[in-house]
Amino acid sequence: ALDEVDAFVDSRNAEFDTSSLASLSAALTQPFKSGTGKIGDARKLRSIFCWITRNIAYDFDALSCISAATTDPLGVLRTRKTVCCGYSRLLQSLAMQAGLTVHCVSGWCKGYGYCVGETVGDKPANHEWNIVELNGEPFFCDPTWAAGHISNKRFVRRYNEHYWLTPPTQFIFTHFPDTSNKDCGTIALLKGSGHSRLEQLQLLTPAVTAKCFSELVQLKPGFFSAGLSLVSHPRTTIALSTAVVNVELCVPRGTKVSADLSKGGRKLEGRCFLQRDLKRGRLIIIVRPPAAGAYVLDIFAKPAGKEKGSSLDWAANYAVESSFGGTAYADFPQTFASPPSVSVLAPLERVLALGTQSNFAVQTENAVDAAVIIGGKWHHLESKQDGVFEGKMKLN
């Protein structure tokens, strides 16, 4: 049903009367006036949301204080560019013309310019988004982030479906409301009585505190679209006092995942290693910094079924602070799938010394044999339980 709405907006985009808020709202919602209840309201709101994301550009010059931002709805219609509050207020104004209820909420976000580990309240509120009501039921929308993103100080229009009716349990990883801002008035969106203003603006009970939000790992739309879920490390900073840390995720079958460790913006090769835990249905990302210091761990993912050849999407972002002062560990071995269909359990070093004996172990599903090839000679491993093959051999 929503595809039909999007197709309507795209096919008629050049014909809409944008001389006033009333004329544009009517043109966008008239075909869906017959709809009733939540579905009818959703189709009207979707048409407005779709038009905004297709036609309004983010004004990076205003963000950089190079020029003044146009944020009043009529001004945004005229200039076709704005900043976040212009997006949210245009959505609110057009929706009100159609008899829909939309609130504007200001607060803090983990978006452009965010540094891992920043604390809410250290800076003024820096973003604005919407709570929309469909047949009395509240949902989150962020037309700014849905429209595109900033890259190399320029706005790149790239629609992101994640920010249309985003579940509160996902929205909270990147958006935290400012309860002192009164623009959205007194709203009572949660059923029952006694809910705090923070709960009302987060649509969560209990509410996530500012401290907890600041500590939450930064999860991107790619994390949720790939169907990932956290098993370990919900906090944005990983304090590491040992040589390695294991970050565990639940990953649907067929989903591709990769991970990079970087320092000062430079990717460090061979410092992340992926293992499948077939018995528990999990993916383990083993991270091994080369020395003590501050690092960034980025996780990327692509859901099964996404078009072949497309890149993996940014899924999560951690700060890794290592205080380990021991001997630097070697690079991990190189694998050729993400995540691997065969998990290498041992050895976990890329370079092995000649003349030494090493234990080789792999785990896989539905395999009848596994072997290690050394100097053109095949060494077959012994089959164990749970798809594990293992064997010791000397490297000559």
Side-chain angles (χ1 to χ4, degrees):
L2 294 181
D3 289 343
E4 176 188 338
V5 177
D6 294 354
F8 162 75
V9 174
D10 290 336
S11 65
R12 302 282 298 278
N13 199 16
E15 304 171 21
F16 294 124
D17 181 358
T18 60
S19 61
S20 70
L21 294 170
S23 62
L24 178 58
S25 179
L28 289 169
T29 60
Q30 184 61 42
F32 313 109
K33 289 287 187 183
S34 59
T36 59
K38 180 179 176 181
I39 294 177
D41 287 351
R43 286 161 66 85
K44 287 181 281 188
L45 183 68
R46 175 70 176 204
S47 185
I48 295 169
F49 186 85
C50 182
W51 186 89
I52 291 174
T53 60
R54 300 307 200 260
N55 291 277
I56 307 302
Y58 193 89
D59 189 349
F60 183 80
D61 286 346
L63 176 68
S64 306
C65 299
I66 297 174
S67 62
T70 301
T71 59
D72 68 281
L74 278 174
V76 174
L77 276 188
R78 184 182 69 255
T79 63
R80 299 296 176 93
K81 62 181 181 179
T82 187
V83 291
C84 56
C85 56
Y87 277 95
S88 64
R89 293 169 192 179
L90 180 58
L91 179 64
Q92 182 187 49
S93 298
L94 291 173
M96 288 175 62
Q97 293 288 335
L100 303 172
T101 302
V102 173
H103 307 278
C104 294
V105 182
S106 62
W108 294 267
C109 71
K110 296 180 180 180
Y112 181 81
Y114 166 76
C115 295
V116 177
E118 277 185 7
T119 301
V120 167
D122 284 352
K123 299 178 181 178
N126 60 0
H127 194 45
E128 189 168 296
W129 56 92
N130 299 103
I131 294 178
V132 303
E133 294 187 52
L134 300 177
N135 199 32
E137 188 175 352
F139 298 89
F140 284 114
C141 282
D142 189 334
T144 309
W145 286 12
H149 60 272
I150 300 297
S151 178
N152 296 321
K153 299 182 179 181
R154 298 185 64 180
F155 173 70
V156 178
R157 191 179 303 284
R158 183 185 178 189
Y159 180 72
N160 195 320
E161 181 71 13
H162 178 74
Y163 298 108
W164 161 257
L165 307 187
T166 314
T169 52
Q170 298 180 10
F171 207 69
I172 191 58
F173 281 94
T174 48
H175 295 66
F176 189 86
D178 180 4
T179 57
S180 68
N181 190 291
K182 305 301 180 183
D183 284 352
C184 59
T186 302
I187 59 176
L189 300 170
L190 297 177
K191 295 180 180 179
S193 59
H195 294 295
S196 69
R197 182 169 176 79
L198 187 58
E199 288 174 328
Q200 296 285 5
L201 295 179
Q202 288 182 0
L203 305 181
L204 290 173
T205 304
V208 173
T209 65
K211 182 177 184 296
C212 182
F213 172 79
S214 300
E215 294 175 348
L216 279 176
V217 60
Q218 185 183 19
L219 299 184
K220 301 285 187 175
F223 185 91
F224 301 106
S225 64
L228 308 184
S229 60
L230 292 173
V231 176
S232 69
H233 299 89
R235 296 186 176 184
T236 191
T237 300
I238 300 175
L240 186 58
S241 59
T242 57
V244 299
V245 62
N246 292 353
V247 178
E248 294 192 30
L249 305 172
C250 281
V251 179
R253 187 177 295 274
T255 296
K256 293 187 176 181
V257 178
S258 68
D260 293 333
L261 189 71
S262 61
K263 185 175 179 63
R266 184 175 65 88
K267 178 181 173 182
L268 305 177
E269 298 290 346
R271 292 294 158 182
C272 294
F273 192 76
L274 275 59
Q275 284 184 339
R276 280 274 193 194
D277 186 332
L278 300 177
K279 190 173 183 180
R280 297 188 298 164
R282 295 177 180 176
L283 178 70
I284 303 170
I285 302 173
I286 308 175
V287 183
R288 192 159 63 191
Y295 303 86
V296 173
L297 171 64
D298 291 308
I299 300 173
F300 305 88
K302 183 171 76 171
K306 190 174 180 180
E307 59 271 20
K308 189 176 181 180
S310 60
S311 61
L312 278 67
D313 295 322
W314 194 10
N317 181 230
Y318 286 96
V320 179
E321 297 178 356
S322 174
S323 60
F324 180 67
T327 303
Y329 274 69
D331 292 352
F332 285 116
Q334 185 177 4
T335 57
F336 301 94
S338 55
S341 55
V342 177
S343 282
V344 177
L345 305 181
L348 292 184
E349 290 75 37
R350 181 177 295 185
V351 178
L352 303 177
L354 287 174
T356 61
Q357 182 167 286
S358 294
N359 180 58
F360 288 85
V362 297
Q363 186 182 38
T364 184
E365 288 183 299
N366 305 319
V368 296
D369 192 14
V372 176
I373 305 173
I374 303 175
K377 184 178 180 180
W378 288 59
H379 302 265
H380 293 270
L381 303 178
E382 182 181 353
S383 177
K384 304 288 185 179
Q385 293 182 336
D386 301 320
V388 173
F389 292 82
E390 190 173 6
K392 291 183 179 181
M393 57 201 70
K394 191 172 184 179
L395 304 177
N396 295 318

